[in-house]
């Protein structure tokens, strides 16, 4: 009798563990899908705003008043720096925000990024922008899938990738004054490697952020921050690839 009871306990215990694991996996998949959906919607907002802004700023190959203000006046620095300011604001304040406020801030950030990125249509042909976008999407998808499925701990990449990112930022600032094509090529090449690594690294980090015990509010804010990290990886990877492979207009 005692053997029978012990076997039943083991059997039901294993079944309960499997049920818990199944619930965890389902919750994780739903959480990651939410992250990717937020990121995709953010990219969609950015793309629509970029195209719409460019169409309003340029008519028949000539800058409109809006175009002059956005691309040639001192306002262009505000347009360029506003998205960066929004990233710092969201990162610093998200713990004090509600999930709905964080989500709204992310949409505003994506819209500002669209206005900022509209200038790429002044430099590159539409066909090359579309081509590089699809190359970026395919690359990003593969790298993110690797980060999600790999059993290897990628945390050791963090410090190396962060140093690479800082180096890229410093080099970009220097090149504003030097205007060196060779330095720009080096920045873009290294940038592709850094943001490719960050895509896999961030995906694994976002996955590990998930907790089955999180309530809806906490899970929502984690999803927004995860979407922001992947969105930034995608946008920067796209910009670096466009610098390397884009056809200038």
């Amino acid at each position: 009798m005692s053997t029978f009871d012990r076997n039943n306990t083991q059997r039901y215990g294993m079944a309960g563990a499997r049920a818990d694991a199944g619930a965890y996996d389902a919750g994780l998949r739903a959480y990651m899908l939410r992250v990717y959906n937020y990121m995709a919607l953010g990219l969609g907002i950015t793309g629509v705003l970029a195209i719409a802004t460019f169409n309003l700023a340029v008519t028949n190959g000539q800058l409109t008043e809006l175009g002059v203000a956005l691309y040639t006046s001192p306002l262009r620095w505000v347009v360029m720096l506003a998205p960066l300011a929004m990233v710092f604001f969201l990162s610093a304040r998200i713990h004090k925000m509600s999930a709905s406020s964080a989500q709204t801030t992310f949409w505003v950030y994506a819209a500002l990024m669209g206005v900022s990125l509209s200038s790429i249509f002044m430099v590159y042909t539409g066909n090359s922008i579309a081509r590089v976008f699809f190359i970026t999407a395919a690359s990003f998808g593969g790298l993110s899938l690797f980060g999600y499925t790999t059993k290897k701990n990628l945390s050791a990449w963090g410090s190396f990738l962060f140093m690479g990112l800082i180096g890229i930022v410093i080099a970009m600032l220097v090149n504003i004054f030097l205007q060196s094509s060779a330095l720009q090529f080096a920045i873009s090449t290294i940038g592709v490697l850094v943001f490719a690594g960050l895509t896999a690294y961030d995906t694994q980090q976002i996955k590990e952020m998930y907790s089955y015990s999180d309530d809806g509010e906490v899970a929502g804010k984690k999803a927004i921050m995860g979407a922001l990290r992947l969105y930034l990886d995608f946008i920067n990877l796209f910009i670096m690839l466009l610098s390397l492979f884009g056809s200038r207009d």
Side-chain angles (χ1 to χ4, degrees):
M1 183 68 176
S2 61
T3 301
F4 176 81
D5 290 341
R6 184 168 61 252
N7 289 340
N8 272 330
T9 300
Q10 291 173 347
R11 185 182 303 115
Y12 291 131
M14 291 174 64
R18 287 195 295 269
D20 288 344
Y24 178 88
D25 289 341
L28 176 61
R29 287 194 297 270
Y31 162 75
M32 293 301 295
L33 182 61
R34 191 177 185 184
V35 170
Y36 287 122
N37 284 341
Y38 282 153
M39 185 204 75
L41 185 53
L43 289 172
I45 292 172
T46 298
V48 169
L49 263 294
I51 294 171
T53 301
F54 177 75
N55 287 335
L56 291 173
V58 179
T59 301
N60 297 324
Q62 300 296 320
L63 291 177
T64 63
E65 291 185 6
L66 177 63
V68 171
L70 289 178
Y71 304 143
T72 65
S73 76
L75 181 62
R76 72 182 187 275
W77 295 105
V78 177
V79 174
M80 289 172 57
L81 296 176
L84 181 61
M86 287 293 292
V87 168
F88 287 123
F89 174 78
L90 182 57
S91 300
R93 298 287 299 177
I94 191 167
H95 296 296
K96 298 181 180 180
M97 292 180 176
S98 65
S100 59
S101 296
Q103 188 174 336
T104 300
T105 305
F106 178 58
W107 304 143
V108 172
Y109 165 73
L112 288 173
M113 182 62 80
V115 176
S116 179
L117 283 180
S118 65
S119 61
I120 65 174
F121 293 97
M122 298 274 295
V123 180
Y124 302 98
T125 64
N127 287 338
S128 70
I129 291 172
R131 182 178 68 250
V132 172
F133 176 84
F134 286 115
I135 292 172
T136 304
S139 302
F140 178 91
L143 291 162
S144 189
L145 180 63
F146 168 75
Y148 183 80
T149 58
T150 185
K151 301 300 182 182
K152 180 179 180 180
N153 187 349
L154 304 181
S155 59
W157 293 17
S159 57
F160 173 76
L161 292 171
F162 181 73
M163 287 188 294
L165 181 60
I166 295 299
I168 290 170
V169 172
I170 293 173
M172 290 176 68
L173 292 174
V174 169
N175 207 37
I176 291 176
F177 303 99
L178 295 181
Q179 295 295 307
S180 168
S181 57
L183 181 56
Q184 182 58 50
F185 178 81
I187 291 170
S188 299
T189 302
I190 296 171
V192 167
L193 298 175
V194 168
F195 288 108
L198 280 171
T199 298
Y201 170 81
D202 283 339
T203 300
Q204 187 177 84
Q205 293 295 303
I206 293 163
K207 177 183 177 182
E208 293 178 353
M209 283 167 54
Y210 171 74
S211 173
Y212 186 67
S213 62
D214 285 341
D215 59 29
E217 187 73 9
V218 173
K221 290 194 284 188
K222 283 185 177 181
I224 288 294
M225 284 307 298
L228 176 62
R229 289 173 70 170
L230 292 182
Y231 172 96
L232 288 169
D233 292 337
F234 187 102
I235 290 292
N236 283 289
L237 184 60
F238 168 70
I239 291 172
M240 297 301 172
L241 287 171
L242 187 62
S243 178
L244 288 174
F245 302 116
S247 300
R248 293 186 174 270
D249 201 350

